[in-house]
Structure formats: structure tokens, C-alpha cells
Amino acid sequence: MLSTTLNDPGAAPEDRLAALRAHLDGAPAMRAFTRESNNHIHTIYSFSPYTPTMACLRGREAGLQVVGSVDHDSIAAAAEMREAGAMLGMGVVTGFECRVKLQSLAEEESGQARFADVKLNNPDSAGVAYVTVQGIPARSRARVEEFLAPIRAARLERTRAMAEAANAILASVDAPGFDFDRDVVGISQYARGGTVTERHLLFAMATALVDGFGRGPALVEGLDRMGATTTGTARQRLADADNPHLVYDLLGVLKAEYLDRFYIQPDHVERGGELPDARTVVEFAKSVGAVPCYAYLGDVTASPTGDKKAEKFEDDYLDELVGHLAALGFPAITYMPPRNTPEQLERLARLCAEHGLMEVSGVDINTPRQEFGCPELSEPRFAHLNTSTWALVAHEVLAEQPGHGLLDPADPLADLPLRERVERYGALGPRLVAGESPETTMKELAR
């Protein structure tokens, strides 16, 4: 029987890892490795039903070769993720995800900001973009935590203000409310380096609504009175009194259909907010030996995570945007193959090739309904994404020694185009996971 400690957010990381070690000592049957990977897994340190240890185990059970964590504004999962992945014989890529302004405050105030008034990849805000910073070497985790701490603190206070607004709306329609410190901060890992996100707030709100209205048709009727739109599959799931994922399903509906009623827009860090500008994040990522990526979303027709409406994002101006990202110093674009059409991905791949950008894959995991696998990565047309993933695995290990990262100007391969460096590093990733020493691998790079 699987120990509950593996996925206990209140347990210490070392206890979760010990539980995984004990589980593996029982030689459980595991699916054969596939060609698949997932570089975009959220854990309890942002919002997710999975501890880093459990995320790794679920990934291994799905046949993944590589798992990667990108918690919002947090690097707290990294050490546990790396150790759990090593126990399971998997490659690991660790990092974080954050939101940025593509322009500086000065550019915004002078009216010179590009893309300030259009949706980029963020459903909640115009001019705000999600980016990931991946392949962070262990030597840089303390610096990353220092960089993210004020962002986490500002986000906490903005979320607190949103909770007050949400409770006021709920009270106005005689719906049950929630307590911010107990029900929002209390279910997070904020005290341990994690982040309080809008999803924590919505989870608390969803829990209060289920407790107040009850399960089944009574819940749907209560949501109707609130003006929270539910249709189709979502409505059927919410009306199912035995739905084991009810609170997560309700969270998705609230995020897609109700959040805008009390959402407070984030602001620049220079004004006490939580949004650095993109160039700052790119330069910081490179300074700590990591790889910054813009997260392409593309026009959405159906949301795999159940929390996004059909909506237009970057596709109308993608050519100009990718050129701008390259000018800002982004070396890579990350995207989710199941989310986009072949035409979208072919266009994106062409633009990445034109600008010499690396392509990175990953499928957003933050709810219990989602599958960890990505079958598309077994298709020949996505072979380059597997190479990129293994390159990030090798990069994160080798960048422990300054001068041996994919983007390091002192790297032995620095004179090669990035795509050629990715090919070389991609061949080294499986060998490092199989036990080859970094010293041997670095000698080969230097030849």
C-alpha cells in the first residue's frame, strides 16, 4: 500500500523521500519508460495536489523519462524534486514560473511600451506574460530564493485584497465566505518558501461554496444564484454529488468565469507590485546559470486545464512578438504540444528557427484530473523537443560548474549556434542520468 507520507504537504521533504525509498524497496511494478517527458509540473509550493516526491512518482508511473518543476514564484520544490527523480532513475529539470511585463516601467510611463494593451499568454491581464526559468543549478537556489522573496510577498498582499473583495461579493448574495489566513494561506506552503496564488484563493472559495450550498444539484442552483456560469461537462461534474474532484472542478469554473469580478491587477515591482520586467528576469536567469523561456499559449479553443475560456492570445502578432522576445534576450520558447494545433506549432517552430531560439515542451499539471504523460512527444515531428529536454537535464547538472552551461559565454561550445549546443547537450543528458560523472562529460565537451 502506498504511504500517505509521500503526498503529505505537512510532512518534511526528507520524510517524503524516505517514504519513496521504502516504497521502491518493495520493487513495485513500473511502466516501461516511454519517450515522453514533462517539464511543466506544479507542486504544493505553488498550487497542485502533488508534493515534489509524489509528482516524480506519478511521472515515473506514467513512463516519463524526465520530470520538471516550475512552481509560481518559488524554487522550493527543487531539492526534493531532484532527489526523488534520481531515486526513480529519471532526469530532472527544476525552475520556476513567474509573470513579467515585457516593458520596463519607464517605457510604460513614456508610452513607448510594445504589447502593453494586448493579451499575451495571460488570460487575466493585458500586457503581462508568463515566463519560466528552467535548468537552475543547485548552487544558485539561494540567489533565486532571494530574488523571488519580494515577489512572493507582494503577491500575498494582492491576494489578500482580492480575498476581501471576493468575500464581499459572496456576502452580498448570501453565499458562504472564507478566512484568508486559515483557508488560503493555511493551505499553502508560503511559510516554507512557497507561493500563495489565485488558485489557493479560489480553492478556499470553492470549498466554502460546497460547504455552504452542499453537493449535487443544490450546488449548481447556488452557483446560478451567484451568477457563476456553468454549462456542459462542467455543469454535469458540479451536479455530481459523488465527484471526487468536485472542489478542483469548481475552482476551474470560478477561475474561467468568475475571477474577473474581484481580480486585482498586479503591478510593476518598482511600484511595490510583483511584476519585474522581462529583460530583468532574462538577465537574472542567465546570471544564475539558468535558461529563461517565454511560455507560448496561442489562441485557445478548448482548455486542457479546464480554467481558460476560448480566447485569442498571441497568434495575431506572433511574428513581431517572437522577434521582440529575441531582442529582449530570450533564448527559448516553451509550449504545450497537446494544447495547440499542428498549424500553430509549425508556425512557432519556423519563427524559433528564424531567430535561433530553443524549443522547450511541458504540459501544465496542477489538478488531479490531468495526465502526466504527453503522447505527442513519441511522434517523430517532436523529436527535437526530447533533445531539448535532455539538453536541459545535462545543463542543470553541468552548470554546477561555472563555464559549463548552455548559455554560459565561457562554455566550451559557446561559439556554436544554440541549436547545435542543444544537440550536443541533449546527447549527454541520458548518460549523466545513467551514472556517468559530470567530470567525464565536461572533458568531452572541451574536446
Side-chain angles (χ1 to χ4, degrees), residues 37-41 66-70 92-93 132 134 334 360-363 377 385 388-390 392-393:
S37 60
N38 195 336
N39 296 309
H40 202 113
I41 297 170
V66 180
V67 288
S69 60
V70 285
V92 176
V93 180
T132 63
Q134 297 178 254
T334 181
V360 176
S361 68
V363 179
L377 294 181
L385 294 178
S388 294
T389 290
W390 281 115
L392 287 172
V393 171

PDB file of all heavy atoms in Angstrom, residues 37-41 66-70 92-93 132 134 334 360-363 377 385 388-390 392-393:
ATOM      1  N   SER A  37       8.235  13.193 -21.697  1.00  0.00           N
ATOM      2  CA  SER A  37       8.736  13.945 -20.550  1.00  0.00           C
ATOM      3  C   SER A  37       7.723  15.029 -20.231  1.00  0.00           C
ATOM      4  O   SER A  37       6.792  15.280 -20.994  1.00  0.00           O
ATOM      5  CB  SER A  37      10.102  14.564 -20.863  1.00  0.00           C
ATOM      6  OG  SER A  37       9.996  15.451 -21.973  1.00  0.00           O
ATOM      7  N   ASN A  38       7.899  15.672 -19.080  1.00  0.00           N
ATOM      8  CA  ASN A  38       7.054  16.817 -18.744  1.00  0.00           C
ATOM      9  C   ASN A  38       7.869  17.805 -17.917  1.00  0.00           C
ATOM     10  O   ASN A  38       8.229  17.518 -16.776  1.00  0.00           O
ATOM     11  CB  ASN A  38       5.806  16.390 -17.971  1.00  0.00           C
ATOM     12  CG  ASN A  38       4.770  17.501 -17.935  1.00  0.00           C
ATOM     13  OD1 ASN A  38       5.096  18.675 -18.070  1.00  0.00           O
ATOM     14  ND2 ASN A  38       3.518  17.136 -17.755  1.00  0.00           N
ATOM     15  N   ASN A  39       8.125  18.951 -18.502  1.00  0.00           N
ATOM     16  CA  ASN A  39       8.936  19.979 -17.853  1.00  0.00           C
ATOM     17  C   ASN A  39       8.114  21.072 -17.179  1.00  0.00           C
ATOM     18  O   ASN A  39       8.664  22.102 -16.808  1.00  0.00           O
ATOM     19  CB  ASN A  39       9.841  20.667 -18.898  1.00  0.00           C
ATOM     20  CG  ASN A  39      10.847  19.728 -19.497  1.00  0.00           C
ATOM     21  OD1 ASN A  39      11.562  19.046 -18.789  1.00  0.00           O
ATOM     22  ND2 ASN A  39      10.899  19.676 -20.822  1.00  0.00           N
ATOM     23  N   HIS A  40       6.807  20.878 -17.020  1.00  0.00           N
ATOM     24  CA  HIS A  40       5.964  21.960 -16.512  1.00  0.00           C
ATOM     25  C   HIS A  40       5.004  21.453 -15.441  1.00  0.00           C
ATOM     26  O   HIS A  40       3.787  21.576 -15.559  1.00  0.00           O
ATOM     27  CB  HIS A  40       5.191  22.613 -17.660  1.00  0.00           C
ATOM     28  CG  HIS A  40       4.723  24.002 -17.351  1.00  0.00           C
ATOM     29  ND1 HIS A  40       5.216  25.111 -17.994  1.00  0.00           N
ATOM     30  CD2 HIS A  40       3.820  24.467 -16.457  1.00  0.00           C
ATOM     31  CE1 HIS A  40       4.627  26.197 -17.514  1.00  0.00           C
ATOM     32  NE2 HIS A  40       3.769  25.817 -16.578  1.00  0.00           N
ATOM     33  N   ILE A  41       5.558  20.880 -14.381  1.00  0.00           N
ATOM     34  CA  ILE A  41       4.743  20.327 -13.298  1.00  0.00           C
ATOM     35  C   ILE A  41       4.752  21.299 -12.123  1.00  0.00           C
ATOM     36  O   ILE A  41       5.814  21.738 -11.674  1.00  0.00           O
ATOM     37  CB  ILE A  41       5.285  18.956 -12.855  1.00  0.00           C
ATOM     38  CG1 ILE A  41       5.199  17.957 -14.007  1.00  0.00           C
ATOM     39  CG2 ILE A  41       4.518  18.440 -11.640  1.00  0.00           C
ATOM     40  CD1 ILE A  41       5.919  16.648 -13.741  1.00  0.00           C
ATOM     41  N   VAL A  66      11.720  12.171 -18.019  1.00  0.00           N
ATOM     42  CA  VAL A  66      12.168  13.400 -17.374  1.00  0.00           C
ATOM     43  C   VAL A  66      10.963  14.116 -16.777  1.00  0.00           C
ATOM     44  O   VAL A  66       9.904  14.187 -17.401  1.00  0.00           O
ATOM     45  CB  VAL A  66      12.869  14.348 -18.382  1.00  0.00           C
ATOM     46  CG1 VAL A  66      13.329  15.635 -17.687  1.00  0.00           C
ATOM     47  CG2 VAL A  66      14.052  13.642 -19.039  1.00  0.00           C
ATOM     48  N   VAL A  67      11.146  14.638 -15.572  1.00  0.00           N
ATOM     49  CA  VAL A  67      10.128  15.485 -14.944  1.00  0.00           C
ATOM     50  C   VAL A  67      10.753  16.840 -14.635  1.00  0.00           C
ATOM     51  O   VAL A  67      11.958  16.942 -14.390  1.00  0.00           O
ATOM     52  CB  VAL A  67       9.568  14.867 -13.647  1.00  0.00           C
ATOM     53  CG1 VAL A  67       8.680  13.686 -13.946  1.00  0.00           C
ATOM     54  CG2 VAL A  67      10.691  14.480 -12.693  1.00  0.00           C
ATOM     55  N   GLY A  68       9.926  17.875 -14.644  1.00  0.00           N
ATOM     56  CA  GLY A  68      10.432  19.210 -14.357  1.00  0.00           C
ATOM     57  C   GLY A  68       9.444  20.023 -13.547  1.00  0.00           C
ATOM     58  O   GLY A  68       8.243  20.014 -13.831  1.00  0.00           O
ATOM     59  N   SER A  69       9.924  20.718 -12.524  1.00  0.00           N
ATOM     60  CA  SER A  69       9.060  21.554 -11.694  1.00  0.00           C
ATOM     61  C   SER A  69       9.225  23.019 -12.067  1.00  0.00           C
ATOM     62  O   SER A  69      10.346  23.493 -12.298  1.00  0.00           O
ATOM     63  CB  SER A  69       9.385  21.359 -10.206  1.00  0.00           C
ATOM     64  OG  SER A  69      10.730  21.708  -9.926  1.00  0.00           O
ATOM     65  N   VAL A  70       8.104  23.742 -12.123  1.00  0.00           N
ATOM     66  CA  VAL A  70       8.118  25.191 -12.382  1.00  0.00           C
ATOM     67  C   VAL A  70       7.060  25.854 -11.502  1.00  0.00           C
ATOM     68  O   VAL A  70       6.061  26.366 -11.999  1.00  0.00           O
ATOM     69  CB  VAL A  70       7.883  25.545 -13.862  1.00  0.00           C
ATOM     70  CG1 VAL A  70       9.098  25.276 -14.708  1.00  0.00           C
ATOM     71  CG2 VAL A  70       6.682  24.796 -14.427  1.00  0.00           C
ATOM     72  N   VAL A  92      15.782  15.181 -14.316  1.00  0.00           N
ATOM     73  CA  VAL A  92      15.003  16.213 -13.628  1.00  0.00           C
ATOM     74  C   VAL A  92      15.462  17.587 -14.103  1.00  0.00           C
ATOM     75  O   VAL A  92      16.664  17.837 -14.249  1.00  0.00           O
ATOM     76  CB  VAL A  92      15.150  16.107 -12.096  1.00  0.00           C
ATOM     77  CG1 VAL A  92      14.416  17.257 -11.399  1.00  0.00           C
ATOM     78  CG2 VAL A  92      14.620  14.768 -11.594  1.00  0.00           C
ATOM     79  N   VAL A  93      14.495  18.476 -14.330  1.00  0.00           N
ATOM     80  CA  VAL A  93      14.761  19.871 -14.664  1.00  0.00           C
ATOM     81  C   VAL A  93      13.982  20.721 -13.669  1.00  0.00           C
ATOM     82  O   VAL A  93      12.773  20.564 -13.552  1.00  0.00           O
ATOM     83  CB  VAL A  93      14.307  20.209 -16.100  1.00  0.00           C
ATOM     84  CG1 VAL A  93      14.596  21.678 -16.411  1.00  0.00           C
ATOM     85  CG2 VAL A  93      14.984  19.302 -17.109  1.00  0.00           C
ATOM     86  N   THR A 132       9.071  31.125 -17.870  1.00  0.00           N
ATOM     87  CA  THR A 132       9.693  30.140 -16.989  1.00  0.00           C
ATOM     88  C   THR A 132      11.200  30.365 -16.976  1.00  0.00           C
ATOM     89  O   THR A 132      11.772  30.871 -17.942  1.00  0.00           O
ATOM     90  CB  THR A 132       9.403  28.698 -17.441  1.00  0.00           C
ATOM     91  OG1 THR A 132       9.979  28.472 -18.734  1.00  0.00           O
ATOM     92  CG2 THR A 132       7.911  28.426 -17.491  1.00  0.00           C
ATOM     93  N   GLN A 134      14.307  27.833 -16.218  1.00  0.00           N
ATOM     94  CA  GLN A 134      14.479  26.393 -16.045  1.00  0.00           C
ATOM     95  C   GLN A 134      15.957  25.994 -16.067  1.00  0.00           C
ATOM     96  O   GLN A 134      16.809  26.753 -16.514  1.00  0.00           O
ATOM     97  CB  GLN A 134      13.691  25.654 -17.130  1.00  0.00           C
ATOM     98  CG  GLN A 134      12.194  25.916 -17.011  1.00  0.00           C
ATOM     99  CD  GLN A 134      11.356  25.254 -18.080  1.00  0.00           C
ATOM    100  OE1 GLN A 134      10.859  25.922 -18.988  1.00  0.00           O
ATOM    101  NE2 GLN A 134      11.169  23.948 -17.974  1.00  0.00           N
ATOM    102  N   THR A 334       8.848  28.026 -24.563  1.00  0.00           N
ATOM    103  CA  THR A 334       8.275  26.767 -24.096  1.00  0.00           C
ATOM    104  C   THR A 334       6.795  26.735 -24.445  1.00  0.00           C
ATOM    105  O   THR A 334       6.127  27.766 -24.484  1.00  0.00           O
ATOM    106  CB  THR A 334       8.473  26.595 -22.572  1.00  0.00           C
ATOM    107  OG1 THR A 334       7.918  25.342 -22.156  1.00  0.00           O
ATOM    108  CG2 THR A 334       7.838  27.724 -21.779  1.00  0.00           C
ATOM    109  N   VAL A 360      11.184  24.324 -26.045  1.00  0.00           N
ATOM    110  CA  VAL A 360      11.070  23.529 -24.820  1.00  0.00           C
ATOM    111  C   VAL A 360       9.608  23.118 -24.666  1.00  0.00           C
ATOM    112  O   VAL A 360       8.700  23.901 -24.948  1.00  0.00           O
ATOM    113  CB  VAL A 360      11.528  24.346 -23.595  1.00  0.00           C
ATOM    114  CG1 VAL A 360      11.317  23.557 -22.300  1.00  0.00           C
ATOM    115  CG2 VAL A 360      12.992  24.747 -23.745  1.00  0.00           C
ATOM    116  N   SER A 361       9.372  21.894 -24.206  1.00  0.00           N
ATOM    117  CA  SER A 361       7.993  21.424 -24.045  1.00  0.00           C
ATOM    118  C   SER A 361       7.664  21.204 -22.574  1.00  0.00           C
ATOM    119  O   SER A 361       8.547  21.063 -21.727  1.00  0.00           O
ATOM    120  CB  SER A 361       7.776  20.119 -24.810  1.00  0.00           C
ATOM    121  OG  SER A 361       8.524  19.073 -24.212  1.00  0.00           O
ATOM    122  N   GLY A 362       6.378  21.136 -22.292  1.00  0.00           N
ATOM    123  CA  GLY A 362       5.900  20.840 -20.949  1.00  0.00           C
ATOM    124  C   GLY A 362       4.400  21.004 -20.914  1.00  0.00           C
ATOM    125  O   GLY A 362       3.844  21.858 -21.599  1.00  0.00           O
ATOM    126  N   VAL A 363       3.714  20.179 -20.129  1.00  0.00           N
ATOM    127  CA  VAL A 363       2.259  20.233 -20.022  1.00  0.00           C
ATOM    128  C   VAL A 363       1.896  20.622 -18.598  1.00  0.00           C
ATOM    129  O   VAL A 363       2.258  19.934 -17.645  1.00  0.00           O
ATOM    130  CB  VAL A 363       1.615  18.883 -20.391  1.00  0.00           C
ATOM    131  CG1 VAL A 363       0.096  18.954 -20.242  1.00  0.00           C
ATOM    132  CG2 VAL A 363       1.986  18.498 -21.820  1.00  0.00           C
ATOM    133  N   LEU A 377       4.979  13.543 -27.714  1.00  0.00           N
ATOM    134  CA  LEU A 377       6.440  13.513 -27.740  1.00  0.00           C
ATOM    135  C   LEU A 377       7.002  12.204 -28.282  1.00  0.00           C
ATOM    136  O   LEU A 377       8.209  12.093 -28.504  1.00  0.00           O
ATOM    137  CB  LEU A 377       7.002  13.799 -26.352  1.00  0.00           C
ATOM    138  CG  LEU A 377       6.738  15.215 -25.820  1.00  0.00           C
ATOM    139  CD1 LEU A 377       7.368  15.401 -24.446  1.00  0.00           C
ATOM    140  CD2 LEU A 377       7.265  16.265 -26.780  1.00  0.00           C
ATOM    141  N   LEU A 385      12.022  18.143 -29.390  1.00  0.00           N
ATOM    142  CA  LEU A 385      11.639  18.528 -28.039  1.00  0.00           C
ATOM    143  C   LEU A 385      12.232  17.577 -27.011  1.00  0.00           C
ATOM    144  O   LEU A 385      12.595  17.994 -25.901  1.00  0.00           O
ATOM    145  CB  LEU A 385      10.114  18.567 -27.914  1.00  0.00           C
ATOM    146  CG  LEU A 385       9.401  19.632 -28.748  1.00  0.00           C
ATOM    147  CD1 LEU A 385       7.900  19.536 -28.573  1.00  0.00           C
ATOM    148  CD2 LEU A 385       9.893  21.029 -28.381  1.00  0.00           C
ATOM    149  N   SER A 388      15.758  18.712 -26.594  1.00  0.00           N
ATOM    150  CA  SER A 388      15.832  19.910 -25.752  1.00  0.00           C
ATOM    151  C   SER A 388      15.681  19.567 -24.280  1.00  0.00           C
ATOM    152  O   SER A 388      16.386  20.133 -23.427  1.00  0.00           O
ATOM    153  CB  SER A 388      14.739  20.905 -26.156  1.00  0.00           C
ATOM    154  OG  SER A 388      14.939  21.404 -27.449  1.00  0.00           O
ATOM    155  N   THR A 389      14.778  18.654 -23.980  1.00  0.00           N
ATOM    156  CA  THR A 389      14.585  18.260 -22.588  1.00  0.00           C
ATOM    157  C   THR A 389      15.854  17.643 -22.016  1.00  0.00           C
ATOM    158  O   THR A 389      16.301  17.986 -20.913  1.00  0.00           O
ATOM    159  CB  THR A 389      13.413  17.273 -22.478  1.00  0.00           C
ATOM    160  OG1 THR A 389      12.199  17.977 -22.735  1.00  0.00           O
ATOM    161  CG2 THR A 389      13.338  16.652 -21.098  1.00  0.00           C
ATOM    162  N   TRP A 390      16.456  16.726 -22.759  1.00  0.00           N
ATOM    163  CA  TRP A 390      17.688  16.105 -22.277  1.00  0.00           C
ATOM    164  C   TRP A 390      18.822  17.122 -22.203  1.00  0.00           C
ATOM    165  O   TRP A 390      19.698  17.033 -21.331  1.00  0.00           O
ATOM    166  CB  TRP A 390      18.071  14.926 -23.156  1.00  0.00           C
ATOM    167  CG  TRP A 390      17.281  13.691 -22.853  1.00  0.00           C
ATOM    168  CD1 TRP A 390      16.410  13.056 -23.667  1.00  0.00           C
ATOM    169  CD2 TRP A 390      17.301  12.961 -21.623  1.00  0.00           C
ATOM    170  NE1 TRP A 390      15.870  11.954 -23.031  1.00  0.00           N
ATOM    171  CE2 TRP A 390      16.401  11.874 -21.773  1.00  0.00           C
ATOM    172  CE3 TRP A 390      17.974  13.099 -20.409  1.00  0.00           C
ATOM    173  CZ2 TRP A 390      16.169  10.948 -20.768  1.00  0.00           C
ATOM    174  CZ3 TRP A 390      17.742  12.177 -19.384  1.00  0.00           C
ATOM    175  CH2 TRP A 390      16.857  11.115 -19.572  1.00  0.00           C
ATOM    176  N   LEU A 392      18.408  20.223 -21.275  1.00  0.00           N
ATOM    177  CA  LEU A 392      18.190  20.917 -20.009  1.00  0.00           C
ATOM    178  C   LEU A 392      18.632  20.066 -18.821  1.00  0.00           C
ATOM    179  O   LEU A 392      19.170  20.585 -17.841  1.00  0.00           O
ATOM    180  CB  LEU A 392      16.714  21.293 -19.868  1.00  0.00           C
ATOM    181  CG  LEU A 392      16.221  22.438 -20.752  1.00  0.00           C
ATOM    182  CD1 LEU A 392      14.700  22.579 -20.650  1.00  0.00           C
ATOM    183  CD2 LEU A 392      16.898  23.750 -20.364  1.00  0.00           C
ATOM    184  N   VAL A 393      18.400  18.751 -18.911  1.00  0.00           N
ATOM    185  CA  VAL A 393      18.867  17.853 -17.849  1.00  0.00           C
ATOM    186  C   VAL A 393      20.386  17.953 -17.712  1.00  0.00           C
ATOM    187  O   VAL A 393      20.924  18.123 -16.614  1.00  0.00           O
ATOM    188  CB  VAL A 393      18.448  16.398 -18.145  1.00  0.00           C
ATOM    189  CG1 VAL A 393      19.125  15.435 -17.166  1.00  0.00           C
ATOM    190  CG2 VAL A 393      16.931  16.252 -18.077  1.00  0.00           C
TER     191      VAL A 393
END
